[in-house]
């Protein structure tokens, strides 16, 4: 005999089942984060972004209930490879981008097809801070200060080479900008990352390099490299005796910023949790002290909207500089 439930009997059962499911939902929901979070750094190990990413990642993990935050270096194409990886990856908040302005704000003007849209493909999580680059020379280089450097570089037939972390990187464009604004002709030699560029200048294979302050500070303190000038329009508190290039070349300013992004499409509650955790991490004194020791000028508390505006302003600024320099990477 077939059993047929009456409508009067079935409806209460369905209502009871639905109520049970609704009650069970939150109990089984996984709080964020429930597994390791990956910070993709689109530059090689040993560079500024890698150093800062590891410090921020450690503190971010502590704030996120002692979650595991792992740095994953994905260098290549001036930062495009790692940036593309995050833009095209999962949108669940477990793969984030710790990047620098040279990749996020310069590459879209420098590359015909960088493979990502810096505004549409990402959501700002937090601005970490700013970092000057430093014009460095091997101790055997005859110039003892920046004015002597300019005098030598302006001499007829001067043909000095400078190393950079690669075509289109900020330290490449800093050299091109200095050539244009100071009337000199430094010859660019690209490397695959700042570490090998520094190594060749340390070894005397090339005399000059632009490098971020955190990646070069230990070599400067040890006397293995001579700092001639910083790339901003003001001196760094870490190197108060080293002039800014802008002091001798009016209008010169090339400071790098570092920031954390999530891919567009990340759930709103996860993005909010990340933004809140990043604010708390950057407010922690121990992290601020460590970043300060590396030469990072920690950003004032910044809203996601302010960070987004900074990115858009820099996109316009560097587009003008790239166009004026004639630099282009296929």
């Amino acid at each position: 005999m077939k059993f047929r439930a009456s409508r009067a009997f079935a409806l209460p059962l369905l209502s009871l089942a639905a109520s049970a499911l609704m009650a069970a939902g939150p109990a089984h929901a996984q709080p964020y984060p429930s597994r390791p979070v990956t910070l993709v750094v689109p530059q090689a190990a040993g560079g500024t972004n890698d150093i800062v990413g590891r410090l921020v990642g450690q503190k971010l993990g502590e704030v996120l209930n002692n979650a595991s935050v792992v740095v994953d270096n994905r260098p290549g194409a001036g930062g495009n490879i790692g940036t593309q990886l995050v833009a095209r990856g999962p949108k669940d908040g477990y793969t984030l981008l710790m990047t620098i302005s040279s990749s996020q704000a310069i590459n879209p003007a420098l590359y015909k097809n960088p493979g990502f849209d810096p505004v549409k493909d990402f959501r700002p999580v937090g601005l970490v801070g700013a970092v000057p680059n430093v014009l460095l020379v091997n101790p055997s280089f005859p110039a003892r200060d920046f004015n002597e450097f300019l005098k030598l570089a302006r001499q007829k037939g001067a043909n000095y080479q400078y190393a950079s972390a690669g075509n289109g990187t900020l330290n490449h464009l800093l050299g091109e900008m200095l050539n244009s604004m100071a009337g000199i002709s430094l010859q660019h030699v690209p490397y695959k990352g700042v570490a090998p560029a520094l190594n060749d200048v340390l070894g005397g294979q090339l005399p000059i390099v632009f490098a971020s302050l955190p990646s070069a500070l230990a070599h400067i303190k040890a006397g293995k490299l001579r700092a001639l000038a910083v790339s901003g329009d003001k001196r760094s508190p870490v190197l108060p005796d080293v002039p800014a290039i802008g002091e001798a070349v009016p209008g010169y300013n090339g400071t790098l910023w570092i920031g954390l992004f999530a891919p567009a499409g990340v759930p709103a509650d996860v993005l909010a949790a990340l933004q809140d955790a990043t604010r708390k991490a950057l407010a922690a004194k121990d992290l601020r002290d460590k970043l300060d020791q590396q030469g990072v000028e920690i950003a004032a508390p910044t809203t996601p909207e302010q960070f987004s505006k900074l990115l858009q302003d820099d996109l316009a600024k560097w587009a003008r500089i790239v166009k004026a320099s004639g630099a282009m990477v296929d």
Side-chain angles (χ1 to χ4, degrees):
M1 182 175 75
K2 293 182 178 179
F3 176 78
R4 294 183 180 179
S6 69
R7 183 179 179 85
F9 181 72
L11 286 176
L13 283 178
L14 290 172
S15 177
L16 181 62
S19 298
L21 285 172
M22 290 175 65
H28 292 287
Q30 292 289 332
Y32 177 85
S34 58
R35 53 189 171 87
V37 176
T38 298
L39 290 189
V40 173
V41 170
Q43 287 80 33
T48 295
N49 200 25
D50 177 65
I51 294 169
V52 174
R54 293 178 189 278
L55 291 173
V56 173
Q58 180 180 4
K59 178 55 66 174
L60 188 61
E62 293 175 14
V63 174
L64 289 169
N65 297 317
N66 291 316
S68 175
V69 178
V70 181
V71 170
D72 182 8
N73 296 92
R74 295 297 184 102
N80 289 346
I81 290 176
T83 308
Q84 290 172 19
L85 178 71
V86 178
R88 299 172 184 175
K91 322 296 185 186
D92 54 9
Y94 288 92
T95 303
L96 307 174
L97 178 71
M98 178 67 77
T99 193
I100 51 181
S101 53
S102 59
S103 295
Q104 204 76 355
I106 297 177
N107 285 5
L110 187 71
Y111 288 80
K112 291 182 179 179
N113 181 21
F116 64 91
D117 186 302
V119 176
K120 293 180 180 179
D121 290 342
F122 296 94
R123 295 293 176 265
V125 174
L127 176 65
V128 176
V131 180
N133 267 246
V134 190
L135 176 61
L136 303 158
V137 294
N138 183 281
S140 65
F141 193 78
R144 306 296 302 180
D145 58 39
F146 185 59
N147 287 328
E148 286 185 10
F149 173 85
L150 287 179
K151 183 178 180 180
L152 286 172
R154 286 169 175 160
Q155 289 178 354
K156 184 177 180 180
N159 188 27
Y160 295 113
Q161 294 180 316
Y162 76 99
S164 83
N167 283 317
T169 57
L170 178 61
N171 39 32
H172 167 205
L173 292 180
L174 289 174
E176 295 295 338
M177 188 160 59
L178 185 59
N179 282 342
S180 175
M181 297 181 71
I184 60 178
S185 300
L186 302 178
Q187 303 300 309
H188 176 230
V189 179
Y191 284 76
K192 293 182 178 179
V194 70
L198 283 169
N199 284 339
D200 269 13
V201 177
L202 285 164
Q205 284 81 5
L206 288 180
I208 305 162
V209 65
F210 279 92
S212 63
L213 183 51
S215 63
L217 190 56
H219 299 307
I220 296 170
K221 289 182 175 180
K224 296 179 179 179
L225 291 173
R226 183 182 304 138
L228 298 183
V230 295
S231 66
D233 56 359
K234 61 182 180 180
R235 300 190 181 201
S236 168
V238 178
L239 298 174
D241 295 328
V242 177
I245 292 178
E247 294 178 31
V249 183
Y252 189 100
N253 186 13
T255 300
L256 174 90
W257 54 252
I258 304 172
L260 182 62
F261 291 85
V266 67
D269 59 333
V270 173
L271 180 61
L274 283 167
Q275 291 168 340
D276 181 62
T278 302
R279 280 193 297 271
K280 291 177 180 176
L282 293 174
K285 186 179 184 303
D286 57 343
L287 175 60
R288 296 175 72 87
D289 288 345
K290 290 175 183 177
L291 291 174
D292 184 65
Q293 290 167 7
Q294 294 294 334
V296 178
E297 298 173 7
I298 303 165
T302 305
T303 67
E305 292 75 21
Q306 290 170 326
F307 189 12
S308 181
K309 177 68 164 51
L310 172 63
L311 171 61
Q312 292 175 344
D313 288 348
D314 267 13
L315 285 166
K317 167 190 171 181
W318 286 108
R320 293 191 298 268
I321 293 173
V322 168
K323 183 177 180 180
S325 74
M328 182 59 66
V329 181
D330 292 329

